[in-house]
Amino acid sequence: MAPRELPIYELEDAVVASQRAQGRLIVQAPTGSGKSTQIPQMLLKHGLLGAKGEVVVLQPRRLAARLLAKRVAEEMGVTLGEEVGYQIRLESRVSERTRIRFVTEGILLRQMSFDAGLRGMAAIVFDEFHERHLYGDISLARAVQIQRTTRPDLKLIVMSATLDAGALKAYLAPCEVLVSQGRSFPVRIQYLPKPVNFENDPVWDVAARECERVAMASHGDMLVFMPGAYEIGRTVQAIQSARALRDFVCFPLHGELPPEQQDRAVARYDARKIIVATNVAETSLTIDGVTTVIDGGLARMARFDPHRGINTLLIEKISVASADQRAGRAGRTAPGVCVRLWAEREHANRAPQELPEVKRLDLSEIVLTLKAGGIDDVANFPWLEKPDAVGLGRAENLLADLGALAGEKKSITETGRKMLRFPVHPRYARMLLAAEDRGCVRPVALMAALTQGRNFLLRGVPREVEKAREDALGEEHESDFFLLMRAWRYADQASYAIEACRRLGIHAQGARQVGPLFEQFLAIAKKEGLDTAERRTDGTAVRKCVLAGFSDQLARRLDAGTLRCELVHNRRGVLARESGIQQAKLLVAAEISEIGRGDGEVSTLLTLATAIEEAWLREIFPDDYREVRGATYDEAIKRVVSRRERRFRDLVLEAKVSSDEAPLNEAAALLTREVVAGRLKLETWDDAVEQWILRVNRMAEWFPELEVNPITDADRATLIEQICYGELGYRAIKDKPVMPVLRDWLTAEQLAVIDDYLPERLVMDNGRKARLTYNKEGPPVLSARIQELFGIGGRFSIGHGRVPVKIEVLAPNHRPIQVTDDLTNFWREQYPRIKPELARRYPRHEWR
């Protein structure tokens, strides 16, 4: 189909008008409509890029970026790398003349970090946005920020095949939405009659059988979806071995292939073709001539693995939405068929759609990139979809632990800026920086590759396998990584032969996947100028690099007789029994797994451990290592003891306690804390003391001219601390007099008049003394038995007549029967009514 015949051209005038009017646009158009290749050309053709401006097209995948750039260059009749180019990780084909540049999402976000003005960039197109990749979300948010502030002329277009545009339109408002229906043909969906266990019947064999079955009943080319390069390779082998498929040519298609092999897969042939691809062919690329799709139903999904503290790519079942996308590839040019390699009853159990990456990935790499762009307050960044606050906090804490952020605002450090050079997870960026300094880049790159997939060295193997493993690989007491590295080299040298690997308990397929990752990490290191030459490994240097990347998972063995450990950030765990690092006092666990038990408790297991030395902590993280001397309260002996500690962050590496060296100031503060909390009791701090404090406070309230300072709760603690000063244990303060300290609160003049203004007892007209009770609020209360009040009338007051006194009349059993402020009224009004009952209950007492 000629480019001008593509369905997207029905929107050409509307796209141009919208971009001239407001600079923001959402284009909804199905795969195959031509939006990825034609809209950038429309912007260029209609002068929307200015004289020398560039349109940058963001693609979620490297393979799509390169192939789309190649196709656009061919359509425009120009050399790839000149007017049309691409930029992906580890590869760049652009020049000063480039006007249309296809890039992967991380490339643009890094450019935004170093050039917030986006010089030379006239427009940004966000393609396949429905995939909701984390870098795409953040790049769009940053682009909107930049457009609103420094670059109002910047044009933004968001494109998608299936996106629900409602929320996005509100986020980009004011923004227009254009929809192209495209052209598609009906696709018949077929399922397998019953579920298949791919462990017993490999997915590549099932796919090849289904290709054979539908080959004769269909026309056109076939597209087979597999999760990764290894599965694709096995599928190609199985198809090429099938007799019924001899007339087909078969090609793999994935991002790790050399460019010429990728080009070969999408080229046109006279013979029928079978392409075996990853989900790059799901939406990003249109492959002409496909009428049959064989869907393995699997994909490598990026997720945060809390056990390893990293993002991983593991094979998972695709969602219903992805399955529908894949099926649609069979109906672009003619009616087609899609065979799903799972049973129909299994389909309903699949997730409706994938979660956006912002909800399932570790955010540390994104947070570091935002911090580099001057955005310290990442919580209030205008996220398209706000991530979980816990995830954001975890990312900032990890970056601080790695030395990439520092200070109250957690701003980026020089180390953090260096880490951004490496397009990998910050843990490995930090490890590679350390490896550059220590001359061990190659083994660290291998270690990084080893942690990306599942552990291929099987656990719980029979004794004979253990013995064969020990004989072939030897013992290991420095790092479980080193044993894993030797196991991988053994498998690699054995060409991943199943029998050879099984003899040592090695999962051959898992080990095979390490090699390409190793090469990828080496390529990243080489691109940044690191020395990747093969040399003799210095185990100490490599272990220091592990510490640099996993310092937040430092653990201290509690004692030599147990595998229990205490970790940084107030966690506890148990070192795995199969670890060879059981003699180390300090270790770093590259994997931390929480395993639920039948009783509901959770056991924290530490695996992939590396032994480290305490001196390395001071060397690599000098700001986090400190020696502390202080005092602590020992609850068992009820005494303050001196404590000397060596700490790494909040983990106590070693503590020494002495019972007679504690500083007196700290001892007094600690004893005060225990008294205030009620765990220790001062026996002489009784009701009389509390009444004395109330008298002081009421004197301050009622007689301000005396300039008495009231005793607040904070002052109470200060007074208690004065009582405790000079002592180390409870025995010394238990019966210590408290009134001498409390009386010092008042000046000599105030002390001399307190009994005059606010006495403890009041002398009545009959010569009897009655106790006064002071309260936080209200007047003081005089309490006396009724017989002691006979013959007394009128009102009582203290403080030279300024403070009235309430009178609490008590029965012979000292229980209140009446409260009054006027005894004369009491005798006249209340007493005659209550006297008969009192006389009956207490006949031996006098009743007047």
Short mmCIF file of all heavy atoms in Angstrom, two decimals, residues 274-308:
data_model
loop_
_atom_site.label_atom_id
_atom_site.label_comp_id
_atom_site.label_asym_id
_atom_site.label_seq_id
_atom_site.Cartn_x
_atom_site.Cartn_y
_atom_site.Cartn_z
N ILE A 274 7.08 -17.17 7.85
CA ILE A 274 6.69 -17.26 9.27
C ILE A 274 7.67 -16.41 10.06
O ILE A 274 8.88 -16.64 10.01
CB ILE A 274 6.73 -18.72 9.79
CG1 ILE A 274 5.77 -19.60 9.00
CG2 ILE A 274 6.36 -18.75 11.28
CD1 ILE A 274 5.81 -21.08 9.39
N ILE A 275 7.16 -15.40 10.76
CA ILE A 275 8.00 -14.56 11.63
C ILE A 275 7.72 -14.95 13.06
O ILE A 275 6.55 -15.02 13.48
CB ILE A 275 7.69 -13.06 11.45
CG1 ILE A 275 7.86 -12.66 9.98
CG2 ILE A 275 8.57 -12.20 12.34
CD1 ILE A 275 6.64 -12.04 9.41
N VAL A 276 8.76 -15.25 13.83
CA VAL A 276 8.62 -15.56 15.25
C VAL A 276 9.16 -14.37 16.03
O VAL A 276 10.35 -14.06 15.96
CB VAL A 276 9.38 -16.85 15.62
CG1 VAL A 276 9.03 -17.26 17.05
CG2 VAL A 276 9.03 -17.98 14.65
N ALA A 277 8.26 -13.67 16.73
CA ALA A 277 8.62 -12.37 17.30
C ALA A 277 8.23 -12.26 18.77
O ALA A 277 7.38 -13.01 19.26
CB ALA A 277 7.94 -11.24 16.52
N THR A 278 8.85 -11.32 19.45
CA THR A 278 8.41 -10.93 20.79
C THR A 278 7.22 -10.00 20.65
O THR A 278 6.75 -9.74 19.54
CB THR A 278 9.54 -10.19 21.54
OG1 THR A 278 9.89 -9.03 20.78
CG2 THR A 278 10.76 -11.07 21.71
N ASN A 279 6.76 -9.43 21.77
CA ASN A 279 5.60 -8.54 21.69
C ASN A 279 5.92 -7.21 21.03
O ASN A 279 5.08 -6.31 20.99
CB ASN A 279 4.95 -8.32 23.07
CG ASN A 279 5.94 -7.81 24.10
OD1 ASN A 279 7.11 -7.61 23.81
ND2 ASN A 279 5.46 -7.61 25.32
N VAL A 280 7.14 -7.05 20.49
CA VAL A 280 7.44 -5.88 19.67
C VAL A 280 6.52 -5.83 18.47
O VAL A 280 6.20 -4.77 17.94
CB VAL A 280 8.92 -5.87 19.22
CG1 VAL A 280 9.20 -6.98 18.23
CG2 VAL A 280 9.29 -4.52 18.63
N ALA A 281 6.05 -7.01 18.00
CA ALA A 281 5.16 -7.07 16.84
C ALA A 281 3.70 -6.96 17.23
O ALA A 281 2.82 -7.05 16.39
CB ALA A 281 5.39 -8.39 16.08
N GLU A 282 3.44 -6.75 18.52
CA GLU A 282 2.06 -6.66 19.00
C GLU A 282 1.39 -5.38 18.52
O GLU A 282 0.28 -5.38 18.03
CB GLU A 282 2.07 -6.73 20.53
CG GLU A 282 0.72 -6.93 21.17
CD GLU A 282 0.87 -7.10 22.67
OE1 GLU A 282 1.54 -8.04 23.11
OE2 GLU A 282 0.30 -6.26 23.40
N THR A 283 2.09 -4.25 18.69
CA THR A 283 1.51 -2.97 18.25
C THR A 283 2.53 -2.09 17.55
O THR A 283 2.18 -1.27 16.72
CB THR A 283 0.95 -2.17 19.44
OG1 THR A 283 1.99 -1.96 20.38
CG2 THR A 283 -0.19 -2.90 20.10
N SER A 284 3.81 -2.22 17.89
CA SER A 284 4.80 -1.25 17.43
C SER A 284 5.09 -1.34 15.94
O SER A 284 5.46 -0.34 15.33
CB SER A 284 6.10 -1.44 18.21
OG SER A 284 5.86 -1.31 19.59
N LEU A 285 4.97 -2.51 15.36
CA LEU A 285 5.34 -2.69 13.95
C LEU A 285 4.18 -3.31 13.19
O LEU A 285 3.47 -4.17 13.71
CB LEU A 285 6.53 -3.64 13.83
CG LEU A 285 7.88 -3.15 14.34
CD1 LEU A 285 8.87 -4.29 14.29
CD2 LEU A 285 8.37 -1.99 13.50
N THR A 286 4.00 -2.89 11.97
CA THR A 286 3.06 -3.55 11.07
C THR A 286 3.85 -4.38 10.08
O THR A 286 4.73 -3.86 9.39
CB THR A 286 2.20 -2.52 10.32
OG1 THR A 286 1.43 -1.79 11.26
CG2 THR A 286 1.28 -3.21 9.33
N ILE A 287 3.57 -5.67 10.04
CA ILE A 287 4.26 -6.58 9.12
C ILE A 287 3.25 -7.00 8.06
O ILE A 287 2.26 -7.67 8.34
CB ILE A 287 4.83 -7.81 9.86
CG1 ILE A 287 5.77 -7.33 10.98
CG2 ILE A 287 5.56 -8.73 8.90
CD1 ILE A 287 6.21 -8.43 11.91
N ASP A 288 3.47 -6.54 6.83
CA ASP A 288 2.50 -6.77 5.75
C ASP A 288 2.37 -8.26 5.44
O ASP A 288 3.34 -9.03 5.54
CB ASP A 288 2.96 -6.03 4.48
CG ASP A 288 2.92 -4.52 4.68
OD1 ASP A 288 2.10 -4.07 5.52
OD2 ASP A 288 3.71 -3.81 4.04
N GLY A 289 1.14 -8.65 5.03
CA GLY A 289 0.91 -10.00 4.53
C GLY A 289 0.54 -11.03 5.57
O GLY A 289 0.27 -12.18 5.22
N VAL A 290 0.51 -10.69 6.85
CA VAL A 290 0.20 -11.67 7.91
C VAL A 290 -1.30 -11.91 7.97
O VAL A 290 -2.09 -10.96 8.11
CB VAL A 290 0.72 -11.19 9.28
CG1 VAL A 290 0.22 -12.10 10.39
CG2 VAL A 290 2.24 -11.16 9.27
N THR A 291 -1.71 -13.17 7.85
CA THR A 291 -3.13 -13.53 7.99
C THR A 291 -3.34 -14.56 9.09
O THR A 291 -4.48 -14.89 9.40
CB THR A 291 -3.68 -14.10 6.66
OG1 THR A 291 -2.90 -15.24 6.29
CG2 THR A 291 -3.63 -13.06 5.56
N THR A 292 -2.25 -15.08 9.67
CA THR A 292 -2.37 -16.08 10.75
C THR A 292 -1.46 -15.67 11.90
O THR A 292 -0.29 -15.36 11.69
CB THR A 292 -1.97 -17.49 10.26
OG1 THR A 292 -2.83 -17.88 9.19
CG2 THR A 292 -2.09 -18.50 11.40
N VAL A 293 -2.03 -15.68 13.10
CA VAL A 293 -1.25 -15.42 14.31
C VAL A 293 -1.29 -16.65 15.20
O VAL A 293 -2.37 -17.21 15.45
CB VAL A 293 -1.80 -14.19 15.09
CG1 VAL A 293 -1.22 -14.13 16.50
CG2 VAL A 293 -1.47 -12.91 14.34
N ILE A 294 -0.13 -17.09 15.64
CA ILE A 294 -0.03 -18.16 16.64
C ILE A 294 0.48 -17.50 17.91
O ILE A 294 1.61 -17.00 17.96
CB ILE A 294 0.95 -19.28 16.20
CG1 ILE A 294 0.61 -19.79 14.80
CG2 ILE A 294 0.97 -20.39 17.24
CD1 ILE A 294 -0.71 -20.52 14.70
N ASP A 295 -0.34 -17.45 18.93
CA ASP A 295 -0.03 -16.69 20.14
C ASP A 295 0.34 -17.63 21.29
O ASP A 295 -0.50 -18.38 21.78
CB ASP A 295 -1.24 -15.83 20.53
CG ASP A 295 -0.94 -14.90 21.70
OD1 ASP A 295 0.21 -14.91 22.20
OD2 ASP A 295 -1.85 -14.15 22.10
N GLY A 296 1.62 -17.58 21.70
CA GLY A 296 2.07 -18.38 22.83
C GLY A 296 1.51 -17.90 24.16
O GLY A 296 1.58 -18.61 25.18
N GLY A 297 0.98 -16.68 24.18
CA GLY A 297 0.33 -16.18 25.39
C GLY A 297 1.27 -15.76 26.49
O GLY A 297 0.85 -15.55 27.63
N LEU A 298 2.56 -15.61 26.17
CA LEU A 298 3.56 -15.25 27.17
C LEU A 298 4.33 -14.01 26.74
O LEU A 298 4.43 -13.73 25.55
CB LEU A 298 4.55 -16.41 27.38
CG LEU A 298 3.96 -17.77 27.77
CD1 LEU A 298 5.04 -18.85 27.71
CD2 LEU A 298 3.33 -17.72 29.15
N ALA A 299 4.88 -13.32 27.73
CA ALA A 299 5.74 -12.17 27.43
C ALA A 299 6.66 -11.95 28.62
O ALA A 299 6.37 -12.38 29.73
CB ALA A 299 4.91 -10.92 27.17
N ARG A 300 7.78 -11.30 28.34
CA ARG A 300 8.66 -10.89 29.45
C ARG A 300 8.10 -9.59 30.02
O ARG A 300 8.00 -8.61 29.32
CB ARG A 300 10.09 -10.69 28.97
CG ARG A 300 10.77 -11.98 28.62
CD ARG A 300 12.27 -11.83 28.54
NE ARG A 300 12.88 -13.09 28.18
CZ ARG A 300 13.14 -14.06 29.03
NH1 ARG A 300 12.85 -13.91 30.30
NH2 ARG A 300 13.69 -15.19 28.64
N MET A 301 7.75 -9.63 31.30
CA MET A 301 7.13 -8.48 31.94
C MET A 301 8.10 -7.86 32.94
O MET A 301 8.71 -8.56 33.74
CB MET A 301 5.86 -8.91 32.68
CG MET A 301 4.76 -9.44 31.76
SD MET A 301 4.13 -8.16 30.65
CE MET A 301 3.36 -7.07 31.84
N ALA A 302 8.22 -6.54 32.86
CA ALA A 302 9.06 -5.81 33.82
C ALA A 302 8.27 -5.60 35.11
O ALA A 302 7.16 -5.07 35.08
CB ALA A 302 9.47 -4.46 33.23
N ARG A 303 8.85 -6.05 36.22
CA ARG A 303 8.22 -5.87 37.53
C ARG A 303 9.30 -5.62 38.57
O ARG A 303 10.43 -6.07 38.41
CB ARG A 303 7.41 -7.10 37.95
CG ARG A 303 6.15 -7.32 37.15
CD ARG A 303 5.27 -8.39 37.78
NE ARG A 303 4.17 -8.73 36.89
CZ ARG A 303 3.05 -8.03 36.80
NH1 ARG A 303 2.88 -6.96 37.56
NH2 ARG A 303 2.09 -8.38 35.97
N PHE A 304 8.90 -4.94 39.64
CA PHE A 304 9.82 -4.77 40.77
C PHE A 304 9.80 -6.05 41.60
O PHE A 304 8.75 -6.53 41.99
CB PHE A 304 9.39 -3.59 41.63
CG PHE A 304 10.23 -3.43 42.87
CD1 PHE A 304 11.58 -3.13 42.77
CD2 PHE A 304 9.67 -3.59 44.13
CE1 PHE A 304 12.36 -2.99 43.90
CE2 PHE A 304 10.44 -3.45 45.26
CZ PHE A 304 11.79 -3.15 45.15
N ASP A 305 10.99 -6.58 41.84
CA ASP A 305 11.12 -7.77 42.68
C ASP A 305 11.61 -7.32 44.05
O ASP A 305 12.78 -6.98 44.22
CB ASP A 305 12.13 -8.74 42.05
CG ASP A 305 12.25 -10.04 42.85
OD1 ASP A 305 11.77 -10.05 44.00
OD2 ASP A 305 12.81 -11.01 42.34
N PRO A 306 10.72 -7.29 45.06
CA PRO A 306 11.14 -6.81 46.38
C PRO A 306 12.18 -7.70 47.02
O PRO A 306 12.91 -7.27 47.91
CB PRO A 306 9.83 -6.81 47.19
CG PRO A 306 8.94 -7.78 46.49
CD PRO A 306 9.31 -7.71 45.04
N HIS A 307 12.28 -8.96 46.60
CA HIS A 307 13.29 -9.86 47.15
C HIS A 307 14.70 -9.41 46.80
O HIS A 307 15.62 -9.49 47.60
CB HIS A 307 13.08 -11.30 46.62
CG HIS A 307 11.73 -11.85 46.94
ND1 HIS A 307 11.19 -12.91 46.25
CD2 HIS A 307 10.80 -11.46 47.83
CE1 HIS A 307 9.99 -13.17 46.73
NE2 HIS A 307 9.73 -12.30 47.68
N ARG A 308 14.84 -8.93 45.56
CA ARG A 308 16.16 -8.52 45.10
C ARG A 308 16.35 -7.01 45.11
O ARG A 308 17.44 -6.51 44.90
CB ARG A 308 16.40 -9.05 43.69
CG ARG A 308 16.83 -10.50 43.68
CD ARG A 308 16.84 -11.07 42.28
NE ARG A 308 15.54 -11.63 41.96
CZ ARG A 308 15.29 -12.30 40.85
NH1 ARG A 308 16.23 -12.47 39.97
NH2 ARG A 308 14.09 -12.78 40.62
#
